[in-house]
Amino acid sequence: MTGSHPDRRAALARMLSLGAWPALPGALTELDDLVGTGRGSDDSVDDAAIRGGAALAGLEFTPAERGMMLATLRRARDGFLRVREVALGEEDAPATIFRPLGAPRPVEPPTTPWRAPAPPEKVSDEDLFTRSVSELGALLRAGRVSSRHLVEVALERLERANPTLLCTVTLLAESARAAARRCDAELAAGRDRGPLHGIPWGAKDIIAAAGAPTSWGVASFRDRTIDRDAGVVERLQRAGAVLCAKLSTGELAMGDRWFGGVTRNPWDPRVGSSGSSAGPASAVAAALLPFAIGSETLGSIVSPCGRCGVTGLRPTFGRVGRGGVMALSWSMDKVGPIARSAEDCALVLEAIAGPDPRDASALDAPFAWRTAARPDPKKLRYGVPAGLLGRRAGRIVSDFLAAAGIPAKEVVEVDLPELPVWDLMTILNAEAAAAFDDFTLQGRLGELAGQDEGSWPNVFRAARLLPAVEMIRAQRTRRRLMRAMEERLAEIDVLVTPNHHRDVLGITNLTGHPTLVLPVEFRLGQPRTLSLVGRTFGEDALLAVAVAFQAGTDHHRRRPDLG
């Protein structure tokens, strides 16, 4: 249609790319002409491509229907190309924001200075980090150790163990020593920042620390630095904690393999530590550090803590801001503490919880452990997955309940939702592929070490062909799953379960419910762990149960002998 105004043609093209059917005089003739000109003339989107896409989606269209779709899909494809020209960065999260069901309870922030307990008896440097954060704080305030000494012990132990465990990517010796000196000077001057003041810690290497390499486990990023601290790093600095090391993560937060090798389980260095918070779990289990910060999208705190036998908390989605933390899945990523004990996890969560201006999903949901009234474990309501007790897999759960003093007759069986949970992980795959789309578009997937079917390059390529309508349907089904899980947990406070029992790990990562992992026994020299799942924003119940259990056991204090 000659002589058509360019603005009119552009408007028609936009309407067609959106699937709209314009009711303008002469529109059909003009659109027929439009499809045959410019970028739309590329015949790579043809009848065969439509038939292939339909087959992938499990659909079938008639020849007439495919002919009608051809113009729409060609214009949509051209729209995709134009949108790709917009340069996107880490700060550009999707406009859609995930929110877990339920609401946080209001809390009162601490108003009185933290008072350390009585310090323990003499502790050797080798066993120093089997002690809790509170006990280390008591030693500090009694003048028995200094923050500088704690940091030197951490740096020495990290360096000595790394050839065996491969858990440390970068030692931050210079900055850690300077921070420790400041902490000691502040305490001497009467300025006490609280229970984490002067305590060494390590960060999973997807968490940015200004001036330090942040590799995400990828060889080509091993020397890359980010010029601003992650929000969680800023919060821990304000609490007085001393960052000593960046700890290993699986490549782009998958598994325990990174460019330095496979991070090892300290209890059996012949096997990996699991991932992707591989380094944090391994370092804490080996008593190289008192605590670390990890993250989870689908098991990345639960799994390595289970393998390495340490206490780890995956908080409610949105409880801890993720600004400055590598995005893998905007609607599933969570940041949480890995520590020696549940009490330590509670103190760390208190420091890091809250809003984050760089994370639209972060909620104004502070966590109070020192000031709020804690739940009484004897008054909480407990559940287990239906059919678990009495089976071999349920023995460890039964033993834990008995040791915790919870009568079996008071435990409720919970039917987990019957929905296609693992099929909903297309949500994770699509978000991860979008987060690293530049790798795909720029032909950089070959930089990644993992290249098999289950590795990111294949996942990213395949996700490019996922139908958008199916993704939205998956999100609607996810909402159904969220409601179903809320209903199941309405009558209990704590669900006690094996870490990977049935679909519980996938369900709770999709719904945003919190999970605490803790060691509950040792068999044949290896730790055995369980998960405690709570209602959204119900971390205090999980922690209260675990604190009570650990008060009567020593599983969480054990450390492996690395020779």
Side-chain angles (χ1 to χ4, degrees):
M1 186 174 178
T2 59
S4 174
H5 194 282
D7 289 344
R8 172 185 171 90
R9 291 173 64 82
L12 289 170
R14 285 196 298 272
M15 295 172 70
L16 187 55
S17 70
L18 295 172
W21 195 255
L24 300 174
L28 297 182
T29 303
E30 186 162 349
L31 286 171
D32 286 342
D33 179 63
L34 180 63
V35 169
T37 62
R39 300 175 81 169
S41 63
D42 182 351
D43 62 2
S44 61
V45 179
D46 57 11
D47 185 74
I50 295 175
R51 284 187 282 114
L56 182 64
L59 299 172
E60 186 173 343
F61 303 113
T62 67
E65 290 168 337
R66 295 198 300 272
M68 190 179 298
M69 294 164 64
L70 193 60
T72 302
L73 293 174
R74 284 179 175 172
R75 296 310 307 172
R77 184 273 322 276
D78 289 349
F80 298 158
L81 297 177
R82 285 189 291 272
V83 172
R84 281 186 207 168
E85 293 171 1
V86 179
L88 297 176
E90 272 283 295
E91 70 280 4
D92 297 305
T96 52
I97 299 173
F98 178 76
R99 287 280 187 268
L101 298 181
R105 296 182 293 276
V107 300
E108 293 294 330
T111 56
T112 56
W114 179 72
R115 297 189 182 280
E121 297 178 2
K122 183 176 175 60
V123 183
S124 69
D125 285 351
E126 286 291 306
D127 290 329
L128 196 57
F129 297 147
T130 65
R131 295 294 179 168
S132 70
V133 165
S134 292
E135 290 172 315
L136 294 176
L139 290 170
L140 271 170
R141 287 157 184 83
R144 299 252 301 272
V145 298
S146 63
S147 178
R148 177 66 185 270
H149 181 72
L150 294 178
V151 165
E152 292 298 338
V153 171
L155 294 174
E156 189 277 331
R157 288 185 61 74
L158 286 162
E159 187 170 27
R160 174 156 47 100
N162 204 47
T164 299
L165 299 181
L166 298 178
C167 63
T168 303
V169 184
T170 306
L171 280 178
L172 305 176
E174 183 177 347
S175 60
R177 287 171 177 142
R181 286 193 294 269
R182 288 193 297 272
C183 287
D184 288 333
E186 287 179 346
L187 281 180
R191 184 183 181 189
D192 191 335
R193 294 175 181 264
L196 303 184
H197 190 124
I199 304 297
W201 70 284
K204 182 177 178 178
D205 202 28
I206 64 169
I207 300 171
T214 302
S215 73
W216 299 351
V218 179
S220 56
F221 289 163
R222 65 193 307 165
D223 298 319
R224 179 193 56 172
T225 60
I226 297 175
D227 61 3
R228 183 177 175 184
D229 290 324
V232 68
V233 174
E234 292 174 349
R235 284 179 173 270
L236 286 169
Q237 285 176 341
R238 289 196 295 270
V242 180
L243 178 60
C244 290
K246 302 296 290 296
L247 303 173
S248 61
T249 175
E251 192 173 49
L252 295 184
M254 178 187 281
D256 51 18
R257 181 179 294 277
W258 57 292
F259 63 83
V262 175
T263 300
R264 299 294 170 177
N265 172 13
W267 295 100
D268 184 358
R270 296 172 299 177
V271 300
S273 67
S274 187
S276 65
S277 299
S282 181
V284 172
L288 312 183
L289 288 164
F291 75 92
I293 299 295
S295 70
E296 174 157 327
T297 306
L298 184 62
S300 291
I301 290 176
V302 171
S303 188
C305 288
R307 176 74 60 84
C308 297
V310 289
T311 308
L313 176 62
R314 187 192 76 214
T316 303
F317 179 89
R319 188 88 174 200
V320 179
R322 305 166 303 179
V325 179
M326 186 199 87
L328 183 65
S329 171
W330 292 280
S331 72
M332 292 178 66
D333 294 343
K334 284 83 60 180
V335 174
I338 294 173
R340 180 61 51 183
S341 68
E343 179 81 24
D344 291 352
C345 285
L347 295 173
V348 175
L349 180 62
E350 188 175 68
I352 64 176
D356 186 331
R358 289 180 283 169
D359 179 7
S361 295
L363 300 169
D364 189 3
F367 177 76
W369 180 250
R370 290 177 286 153
T371 56
R374 301 179 190 177
D376 183 348
K378 295 180 180 179
K379 296 180 180 179
L380 294 174
R381 300 165 299 171
Y382 297 87
V384 297
L388 179 67
L389 297 181
R391 297 183 180 181
R392 183 177 180 182
R395 179 202 58 79
I396 191 172
V397 173
S398 300
D399 291 349
F400 170 80
L401 292 169
I406 303 165
K409 63 181 180 180
E410 296 180 9
V411 178
V412 176
E413 287 199 319
V414 177
D415 290 308
L416 296 174
E418 294 288 344
L419 286 167
V421 172
W422 298 104
D423 296 317
L424 298 182
M425 294 308 162
T426 52
I427 296 169
L428 165 56
N429 292 346
E431 291 190 2
F436 295 101
D437 199 31
D438 285 350
F439 269 72
T440 303
L441 298 179
Q442 296 170 9
R444 298 179 58 191
L445 293 177
E447 295 177 15
L448 302 181
Q451 293 291 333
D452 58 17
E453 183 180 354
S455 296
W456 284 132
N458 185 58
V459 172
F460 294 166
R461 294 185 190 104
R464 267 281 173 184
L465 303 182
L466 295 173
V469 173
E470 301 298 345
M471 293 307 305
I472 294 174
R473 189 174 188 89
Q475 290 284 19
R476 295 176 67 195
T477 305
R478 182 183 186 180
R479 180 70 61 176
R480 171 77 64 84
L481 178 67
M482 293 164 67
R483 291 197 302 269
M485 197 61 178
E486 279 290 289
E487 292 169 0
R488 303 303 197 278
L489 296 179
E491 301 302 320
I492 64 171
D493 302 294
V494 180
L495 178 73
V496 185
T497 177
N499 301 333
H500 299 282
H501 180 68
R502 292 183 57 199
D503 298 334
V504 68
L505 185 66
I507 290 172
T508 55
N509 271 289
L510 284 163
T511 61
H513 286 84
T515 295
L516 177 77
V517 182
L518 74 162
V520 296
E521 68 176 23
F522 274 75
R523 289 209 164 199
L524 301 176
Q526 297 295 308
R528 300 289 185 267
T529 60
L530 282 178
S531 286
L532 308 180
V533 176
R535 289 182 288 176
T536 53
F537 307 102
E539 290 91 346
D540 56 348
L542 309 182
L543 290 161
V545 176
V547 166
F549 175 80
Q550 290 178 337
T553 61
D554 69 349
H555 310 305
H556 62 291
R557 289 194 182 274
R558 298 191 190 184
R559 70 168 179 84
D561 182 4
L562 296 178

